[in-house]
Amino acid sequence: MALRSAIARIPRSSAIGLTTRSSSRCFSDGKGRVLSEEEKAAENVYIQKMERERLAKLKLKQKAEKEKAEAAEEKSDKKSEETHKG
């Protein structure tokens, strides 16, 4: 019951105002000023570029790991064949 009474004391207009203010500050530069449309677009392009680069590095890393695993598997297969022949 204490929770209900605490919630009832909060004015609805201030609760709604808090949510709208926090969502409008999504694109800010960290100094309190809101970015313009051009700045938002430039930031989005930069973020997408960084994500593409990160994914490309990740794919290269996975490819290298896969090739390394395949090479190790082939090496172990050759050793097992040599032990069976000899």
Side-chain angles (χ1 to χ4, degrees), residues 8-19:
R9 290 181 193 153
I10 299 173
R12 288 194 173 132
S13 61
S14 66
I16 293 171
L18 290 175
T19 58

Side-chain angles (χ1 to χ4, degrees), residues 27-42:
F27 288 101
S28 67
D29 62 355
K31 298 177 184 175
R33 107 184 146 88
V34 179
L35 301 178
S36 70
E37 292 294 321
E38 290 178 7
E39 290 170 323
K40 287 179 194 178

Side-chain angles (χ1 to χ4, degrees), residues 9-64:
R9 290 181 193 153
I10 299 173
R12 288 194 173 132
S13 61
S14 66
I16 293 171
L18 290 175
T19 58
T20 56
R21 267 187 258 141
S22 63
S23 64
S24 66
R25 292 181 53 102
C26 182
F27 288 101
S28 67
D29 62 355
K31 298 177 184 175
R33 107 184 146 88
V34 179
L35 301 178
S36 70
E37 292 294 321
E38 290 178 7
E39 290 170 323
K40 287 179 194 178
E43 185 174 349
N44 286 337
V45 169
Y46 176 78
I47 290 169
Q48 290 172 355
K49 179 183 172 188
M50 290 295 122
E51 288 175 350
R52 280 193 301 267
E53 288 178 4
R54 193 184 84 224
L55 285 174
K57 287 180 183 179
L58 181 64
K59 286 181 181 181
L60 285 174
K61 183 178 179 182
Q62 289 174 345
K63 185 179 177 182

Side-chain angles (χ1 to χ4, degrees), residues 73-86:
E73 184 179 324
E74 287 178 13
K75 187 176 181 181
S76 66
D77 288 344
K78 286 182 182 180
K79 282 187 178 181
S80 65
E81 287 177 6
E82 289 175 3
T83 56
H84 290 297
K85 288 181 182 180

